[in-house]
Amino acid sequence: QVQVVESGGGLVQAGGSLRLSCTASGLTFVNYAMGWFRQAPGKEREGVSCIQWNGDVRYYADSVKGRFTISRDNAKNTLYLQMDSLKPDDTAMYYCAAKTSGYCAASWSSRYVYNYWGQGTQVTVSS
């Protein structure tokens, strides 16, 4: 049984940092591209970032470029999202997702190309 579990969310002031983690079990982690999504109340779920199976290729939404960094440790079956210079607009539930293909591809920001999802971790940025 595949399990995807996020952690690391919380309340932070604008300008602060948080590091999200996501651990996946029940799958061969290295075979999957991994993505981060977020969803704010009343809004669509949007792609934040994606990382290829070996970490060599990474994609970011324009809204987080230069502030967020995605990384992975295949030995630990763990995905990370370092979030710096946080803004109130970053407030959302953050989700980790696994994509069967090991490559992000042009469709990386579409939620429909991911096969497994976590339950999410809440990030709240106060002004």
Side-chain angles (χ1 to χ4, degrees), residues 11-38:
L11 174 63
V12 64
Q13 287 190 328
S17 298
L18 280 175
R19 187 195 196 202
L20 304 184
S21 298
C22 167
T23 301
S25 60
L27 51 74
T28 305
F29 187 75
V30 70
N31 288 349
Y32 288 76
M34 299 296 296
W36 285 103
F37 284 72
R38 66 186 182 186

PDB file of all heavy atoms in Angstrom, residues 11-38:
ATOM      1  N   LEU A  11       2.864  27.935  11.282  1.00  0.00           N
ATOM      2  CA  LEU A  11       2.598  29.371  11.212  1.00  0.00           C
ATOM      3  C   LEU A  11       3.933  30.111  11.235  1.00  0.00           C
ATOM      4  O   LEU A  11       4.769  29.857  12.111  1.00  0.00           O
ATOM      5  CB  LEU A  11       1.730  29.789  12.389  1.00  0.00           C
ATOM      6  CG  LEU A  11       1.470  31.283  12.568  1.00  0.00           C
ATOM      7  CD1 LEU A  11       0.698  31.836  11.380  1.00  0.00           C
ATOM      8  CD2 LEU A  11       0.729  31.544  13.872  1.00  0.00           C
ATOM      9  N   VAL A  12       4.108  31.021  10.289  1.00  0.00           N
ATOM     10  CA  VAL A  12       5.362  31.774  10.208  1.00  0.00           C
ATOM     11  C   VAL A  12       5.044  33.205   9.793  1.00  0.00           C
ATOM     12  O   VAL A  12       4.049  33.444   9.100  1.00  0.00           O
ATOM     13  CB  VAL A  12       6.335  31.096   9.212  1.00  0.00           C
ATOM     14  CG1 VAL A  12       5.779  31.109   7.806  1.00  0.00           C
ATOM     15  CG2 VAL A  12       7.720  31.717   9.271  1.00  0.00           C
ATOM     16  N   GLN A  13       5.879  34.134  10.207  1.00  0.00           N
ATOM     17  CA  GLN A  13       5.694  35.522   9.801  1.00  0.00           C
ATOM     18  C   GLN A  13       6.215  35.748   8.383  1.00  0.00           C
ATOM     19  O   GLN A  13       7.109  35.026   7.915  1.00  0.00           O
ATOM     20  CB  GLN A  13       6.429  36.452  10.764  1.00  0.00           C
ATOM     21  CG  GLN A  13       5.761  36.573  12.124  1.00  0.00           C
ATOM     22  CD  GLN A  13       6.377  37.677  12.962  1.00  0.00           C
ATOM     23  OE1 GLN A  13       7.569  37.948  12.858  1.00  0.00           O
ATOM     24  NE2 GLN A  13       5.572  38.309  13.789  1.00  0.00           N
ATOM     25  N   ALA A  14       5.672  36.738   7.723  1.00  0.00           N
ATOM     26  CA  ALA A  14       6.151  37.098   6.388  1.00  0.00           C
ATOM     27  C   ALA A  14       7.653  37.352   6.429  1.00  0.00           C
ATOM     28  O   ALA A  14       8.164  37.973   7.361  1.00  0.00           O
ATOM     29  CB  ALA A  14       5.417  38.328   5.884  1.00  0.00           C
ATOM     30  N   GLY A  15       8.332  36.839   5.418  1.00  0.00           N
ATOM     31  CA  GLY A  15       9.790  36.940   5.361  1.00  0.00           C
ATOM     32  C   GLY A  15      10.513  35.761   5.976  1.00  0.00           C
ATOM     33  O   GLY A  15      11.729  35.609   5.808  1.00  0.00           O
ATOM     34  N   GLY A  16       9.776  34.929   6.668  1.00  0.00           N
ATOM     35  CA  GLY A  16      10.363  33.769   7.324  1.00  0.00           C
ATOM     36  C   GLY A  16      10.516  32.577   6.407  1.00  0.00           C
ATOM     37  O   GLY A  16      10.261  32.662   5.191  1.00  0.00           O
ATOM     38  N   SER A  17      10.939  31.457   6.985  1.00  0.00           N
ATOM     39  CA  SER A  17      11.211  30.237   6.225  1.00  0.00           C
ATOM     40  C   SER A  17      10.555  29.031   6.876  1.00  0.00           C
ATOM     41  O   SER A  17      10.337  29.005   8.093  1.00  0.00           O
ATOM     42  CB  SER A  17      12.721  29.990   6.154  1.00  0.00           C
ATOM     43  OG  SER A  17      13.387  31.030   5.481  1.00  0.00           O
ATOM     44  N   LEU A  18      10.272  28.060   6.043  1.00  0.00           N
ATOM     45  CA  LEU A  18       9.808  26.751   6.491  1.00  0.00           C
ATOM     46  C   LEU A  18      10.397  25.702   5.568  1.00  0.00           C
ATOM     47  O   LEU A  18      10.645  25.981   4.390  1.00  0.00           O
ATOM     48  CB  LEU A  18       8.281  26.635   6.448  1.00  0.00           C
ATOM     49  CG  LEU A  18       7.455  27.231   7.580  1.00  0.00           C
ATOM     50  CD1 LEU A  18       5.973  27.099   7.259  1.00  0.00           C
ATOM     51  CD2 LEU A  18       7.778  26.578   8.901  1.00  0.00           C
ATOM     52  N   ARG A  19      10.561  24.491   6.086  1.00  0.00           N
ATOM     53  CA  ARG A  19      11.010  23.374   5.267  1.00  0.00           C
ATOM     54  C   ARG A  19       9.995  22.250   5.385  1.00  0.00           C
ATOM     55  O   ARG A  19       9.785  21.713   6.477  1.00  0.00           O
ATOM     56  CB  ARG A  19      12.370  22.870   5.716  1.00  0.00           C
ATOM     57  CG  ARG A  19      12.981  21.818   4.798  1.00  0.00           C
ATOM     58  CD  ARG A  19      14.113  21.126   5.500  1.00  0.00           C
ATOM     59  NE  ARG A  19      14.973  20.390   4.587  1.00  0.00           N
ATOM     60  CZ  ARG A  19      15.753  19.384   4.970  1.00  0.00           C
ATOM     61  NH1 ARG A  19      15.800  19.010   6.234  1.00  0.00           N
ATOM     62  NH2 ARG A  19      16.515  18.757   4.078  1.00  0.00           N
ATOM     63  N   LEU A  20       9.367  21.940   4.270  1.00  0.00           N
ATOM     64  CA  LEU A  20       8.418  20.835   4.236  1.00  0.00           C
ATOM     65  C   LEU A  20       9.145  19.551   3.862  1.00  0.00           C
ATOM     66  O   LEU A  20      10.096  19.562   3.079  1.00  0.00           O
ATOM     67  CB  LEU A  20       7.315  21.103   3.224  1.00  0.00           C
ATOM     68  CG  LEU A  20       6.523  22.396   3.380  1.00  0.00           C
ATOM     69  CD1 LEU A  20       5.408  22.457   2.342  1.00  0.00           C
ATOM     70  CD2 LEU A  20       5.987  22.552   4.784  1.00  0.00           C
ATOM     71  N   SER A  21       8.662  18.451   4.414  1.00  0.00           N
ATOM     72  CA  SER A  21       9.181  17.127   4.069  1.00  0.00           C
ATOM     73  C   SER A  21       8.026  16.243   3.634  1.00  0.00           C
ATOM     74  O   SER A  21       6.879  16.441   4.040  1.00  0.00           O
ATOM     75  CB  SER A  21       9.879  16.487   5.271  1.00  0.00           C
ATOM     76  OG  SER A  21      10.985  17.249   5.685  1.00  0.00           O
ATOM     77  N   CYS A  22       8.358  15.259   2.814  1.00  0.00           N
ATOM     78  CA  CYS A  22       7.356  14.303   2.348  1.00  0.00           C
ATOM     79  C   CYS A  22       8.032  12.942   2.251  1.00  0.00           C
ATOM     80  O   CYS A  22       9.026  12.798   1.535  1.00  0.00           O
ATOM     81  CB  CYS A  22       6.823  14.721   0.993  1.00  0.00           C
ATOM     82  SG  CYS A  22       5.871  13.449   0.131  1.00  0.00           S
ATOM     83  N   THR A  23       7.492  11.979   2.954  1.00  0.00           N
ATOM     84  CA  THR A  23       8.041  10.629   2.926  1.00  0.00           C
ATOM     85  C   THR A  23       7.059   9.701   2.222  1.00  0.00           C
ATOM     86  O   THR A  23       5.865   9.704   2.547  1.00  0.00           O
ATOM     87  CB  THR A  23       8.317  10.122   4.346  1.00  0.00           C
ATOM     88  OG1 THR A  23       9.242  11.012   4.983  1.00  0.00           O
ATOM     89  CG2 THR A  23       8.921   8.736   4.320  1.00  0.00           C
ATOM     90  N   ALA A  24       7.555   8.921   1.281  1.00  0.00           N
ATOM     91  CA  ALA A  24       6.717   7.989   0.532  1.00  0.00           C
ATOM     92  C   ALA A  24       7.150   6.556   0.828  1.00  0.00           C
ATOM     93  O   ALA A  24       8.347   6.269   0.899  1.00  0.00           O
ATOM     94  CB  ALA A  24       6.822   8.267  -0.964  1.00  0.00           C
ATOM     95  N   SER A  25       6.181   5.683   0.999  1.00  0.00           N
ATOM     96  CA  SER A  25       6.457   4.267   1.231  1.00  0.00           C
ATOM     97  C   SER A  25       5.520   3.435   0.361  1.00  0.00           C
ATOM     98  O   SER A  25       4.490   3.926  -0.122  1.00  0.00           O
ATOM     99  CB  SER A  25       6.274   3.910   2.703  1.00  0.00           C
ATOM    100  OG  SER A  25       4.957   4.182   3.125  1.00  0.00           O
ATOM    101  N   GLY A  26       5.896   2.173   0.159  1.00  0.00           N
ATOM    102  CA  GLY A  26       5.072   1.293  -0.658  1.00  0.00           C
ATOM    103  C   GLY A  26       5.283   1.465  -2.148  1.00  0.00           C
ATOM    104  O   GLY A  26       4.523   0.908  -2.951  1.00  0.00           O
ATOM    105  N   LEU A  27       6.274   2.234  -2.532  1.00  0.00           N
ATOM    106  CA  LEU A  27       6.608   2.408  -3.942  1.00  0.00           C
ATOM    107  C   LEU A  27       8.123   2.522  -4.064  1.00  0.00           C
ATOM    108  O   LEU A  27       8.822   2.750  -3.071  1.00  0.00           O
ATOM    109  CB  LEU A  27       5.923   3.649  -4.528  1.00  0.00           C
ATOM    110  CG  LEU A  27       6.037   5.008  -3.815  1.00  0.00           C
ATOM    111  CD1 LEU A  27       7.414   5.637  -3.978  1.00  0.00           C
ATOM    112  CD2 LEU A  27       4.966   5.962  -4.321  1.00  0.00           C
ATOM    113  N   THR A  28       8.603   2.345  -5.278  1.00  0.00           N
ATOM    114  CA  THR A  28      10.033   2.497  -5.537  1.00  0.00           C
ATOM    115  C   THR A  28      10.290   3.968  -5.820  1.00  0.00           C
ATOM    116  O   THR A  28      10.143   4.443  -6.948  1.00  0.00           O
ATOM    117  CB  THR A  28      10.464   1.609  -6.707  1.00  0.00           C
ATOM    118  OG1 THR A  28      10.083   0.254  -6.441  1.00  0.00           O
ATOM    119  CG2 THR A  28      11.985   1.682  -6.893  1.00  0.00           C
ATOM    120  N   PHE A  29      10.654   4.681  -4.776  1.00  0.00           N
ATOM    121  CA  PHE A  29      10.712   6.147  -4.798  1.00  0.00           C
ATOM    122  C   PHE A  29      11.544   6.679  -5.954  1.00  0.00           C
ATOM    123  O   PHE A  29      11.152   7.647  -6.609  1.00  0.00           O
ATOM    124  CB  PHE A  29      11.275   6.625  -3.455  1.00  0.00           C
ATOM    125  CG  PHE A  29      11.242   8.103  -3.255  1.00  0.00           C
ATOM    126  CD1 PHE A  29      10.053   8.761  -2.963  1.00  0.00           C
ATOM    127  CD2 PHE A  29      12.416   8.857  -3.320  1.00  0.00           C
ATOM    128  CE1 PHE A  29      10.023  10.129  -2.754  1.00  0.00           C
ATOM    129  CE2 PHE A  29      12.399  10.222  -3.116  1.00  0.00           C
ATOM    130  CZ  PHE A  29      11.198  10.859  -2.830  1.00  0.00           C
ATOM    131  N   VAL A  30      12.644   6.041  -6.236  1.00  0.00           N
ATOM    132  CA  VAL A  30      13.553   6.553  -7.253  1.00  0.00           C
ATOM    133  C   VAL A  30      12.922   6.494  -8.647  1.00  0.00           C
ATOM    134  O   VAL A  30      13.376   7.185  -9.566  1.00  0.00           O
ATOM    135  CB  VAL A  30      14.891   5.787  -7.216  1.00  0.00           C
ATOM    136  CG1 VAL A  30      14.706   4.356  -7.728  1.00  0.00           C
ATOM    137  CG2 VAL A  30      15.967   6.513  -7.987  1.00  0.00           C
ATOM    138  N   ASN A  31      11.879   5.736  -8.840  1.00  0.00           N
ATOM    139  CA  ASN A  31      11.230   5.626 -10.143  1.00  0.00           C
ATOM    140  C   ASN A  31      10.229   6.742 -10.418  1.00  0.00           C
ATOM    141  O   ASN A  31       9.670   6.819 -11.514  1.00  0.00           O
ATOM    142  CB  ASN A  31      10.489   4.283 -10.270  1.00  0.00           C
ATOM    143  CG  ASN A  31      11.440   3.109 -10.406  1.00  0.00           C
ATOM    144  OD1 ASN A  31      12.642   3.284 -10.609  1.00  0.00           O
ATOM    145  ND2 ASN A  31      10.908   1.910 -10.266  1.00  0.00           N
ATOM    146  N   TYR A  32       9.982   7.594  -9.407  1.00  0.00           N
ATOM    147  CA  TYR A  32       8.936   8.589  -9.497  1.00  0.00           C
ATOM    148  C   TYR A  32       9.496  10.007  -9.543  1.00  0.00           C
ATOM    149  O   TYR A  32      10.399  10.352  -8.781  1.00  0.00           O
ATOM    150  CB  TYR A  32       7.999   8.487  -8.301  1.00  0.00           C
ATOM    151  CG  TYR A  32       7.099   7.270  -8.331  1.00  0.00           C
ATOM    152  CD1 TYR A  32       7.607   6.017  -8.019  1.00  0.00           C
ATOM    153  CD2 TYR A  32       5.760   7.378  -8.674  1.00  0.00           C
ATOM    154  CE1 TYR A  32       6.795   4.897  -8.060  1.00  0.00           C
ATOM    155  CE2 TYR A  32       4.941   6.271  -8.710  1.00  0.00           C
ATOM    156  CZ  TYR A  32       5.465   5.031  -8.405  1.00  0.00           C
ATOM    157  OH  TYR A  32       4.658   3.926  -8.445  1.00  0.00           O
ATOM    158  N   ALA A  33       8.910  10.816 -10.424  1.00  0.00           N
ATOM    159  CA  ALA A  33       9.067  12.252 -10.276  1.00  0.00           C
ATOM    160  C   ALA A  33       8.151  12.672  -9.124  1.00  0.00           C
ATOM    161  O   ALA A  33       7.101  12.063  -8.913  1.00  0.00           O
ATOM    162  CB  ALA A  33       8.680  12.982 -11.551  1.00  0.00           C
ATOM    163  N   MET A  34       8.557  13.695  -8.403  1.00  0.00           N
ATOM    164  CA  MET A  34       7.790  14.141  -7.238  1.00  0.00           C
ATOM    165  C   MET A  34       7.440  15.618  -7.368  1.00  0.00           C
ATOM    166  O   MET A  34       8.247  16.431  -7.817  1.00  0.00           O
ATOM    167  CB  MET A  34       8.597  13.920  -5.959  1.00  0.00           C
ATOM    168  CG  MET A  34       8.950  12.471  -5.678  1.00  0.00           C
ATOM    169  SD  MET A  34       7.513  11.427  -5.369  1.00  0.00           S
ATOM    170  CE  MET A  34       6.859  12.146  -3.859  1.00  0.00           C
ATOM    171  N   GLY A  35       6.235  15.931  -6.923  1.00  0.00           N
ATOM    172  CA  GLY A  35       5.795  17.317  -7.030  1.00  0.00           C
ATOM    173  C   GLY A  35       5.213  17.847  -5.737  1.00  0.00           C
ATOM    174  O   GLY A  35       4.799  17.084  -4.860  1.00  0.00           O
ATOM    175  N   TRP A  36       5.225  19.160  -5.634  1.00  0.00           N
ATOM    176  CA  TRP A  36       4.539  19.876  -4.551  1.00  0.00           C
ATOM    177  C   TRP A  36       3.424  20.706  -5.172  1.00  0.00           C
ATOM    178  O   TRP A  36       3.638  21.394  -6.173  1.00  0.00           O
ATOM    179  CB  TRP A  36       5.490  20.796  -3.799  1.00  0.00           C
ATOM    180  CG  TRP A  36       6.427  20.102  -2.875  1.00  0.00           C
ATOM    181  CD1 TRP A  36       7.755  19.843  -3.086  1.00  0.00           C
ATOM    182  CD2 TRP A  36       6.133  19.594  -1.571  1.00  0.00           C
ATOM    183  NE1 TRP A  36       8.293  19.185  -2.010  1.00  0.00           N
ATOM    184  CE2 TRP A  36       7.317  19.034  -1.058  1.00  0.00           C
ATOM    185  CE3 TRP A  36       4.979  19.551  -0.778  1.00  0.00           C
ATOM    186  CZ2 TRP A  36       7.384  18.434   0.204  1.00  0.00           C
ATOM    187  CZ3 TRP A  36       5.044  18.959   0.475  1.00  0.00           C
ATOM    188  CH2 TRP A  36       6.236  18.408   0.957  1.00  0.00           C
ATOM    189  N   PHE A  37       2.270  20.664  -4.559  1.00  0.00           N
ATOM    190  CA  PHE A  37       1.119  21.461  -4.949  1.00  0.00           C
ATOM    191  C   PHE A  37       0.631  22.220  -3.729  1.00  0.00           C
ATOM    192  O   PHE A  37       0.960  21.871  -2.595  1.00  0.00           O
ATOM    193  CB  PHE A  37      -0.001  20.564  -5.477  1.00  0.00           C
ATOM    194  CG  PHE A  37       0.225  20.052  -6.863  1.00  0.00           C
ATOM    195  CD1 PHE A  37       1.182  19.081  -7.107  1.00  0.00           C
ATOM    196  CD2 PHE A  37      -0.496  20.549  -7.938  1.00  0.00           C
ATOM    197  CE1 PHE A  37       1.411  18.607  -8.390  1.00  0.00           C
ATOM    198  CE2 PHE A  37      -0.288  20.087  -9.222  1.00  0.00           C
ATOM    199  CZ  PHE A  37       0.671  19.116  -9.445  1.00  0.00           C
ATOM    200  N   ARG A  38      -0.193  23.229  -3.976  1.00  0.00           N
ATOM    201  CA  ARG A  38      -0.813  23.928  -2.857  1.00  0.00           C
ATOM    202  C   ARG A  38      -2.224  24.347  -3.249  1.00  0.00           C
ATOM    203  O   ARG A  38      -2.533  24.527  -4.422  1.00  0.00           O
ATOM    204  CB  ARG A  38       0.011  25.141  -2.426  1.00  0.00           C
ATOM    205  CG  ARG A  38       0.099  26.259  -3.453  1.00  0.00           C
ATOM    206  CD  ARG A  38       1.064  27.332  -2.957  1.00  0.00           C
ATOM    207  NE  ARG A  38       1.155  28.452  -3.880  1.00  0.00           N
ATOM    208  CZ  ARG A  38       2.006  29.465  -3.731  1.00  0.00           C
ATOM    209  NH1 ARG A  38       2.848  29.491  -2.690  1.00  0.00           N
ATOM    210  NH2 ARG A  38       2.033  30.463  -4.609  1.00  0.00           N
TER     211      ARG A  38
END
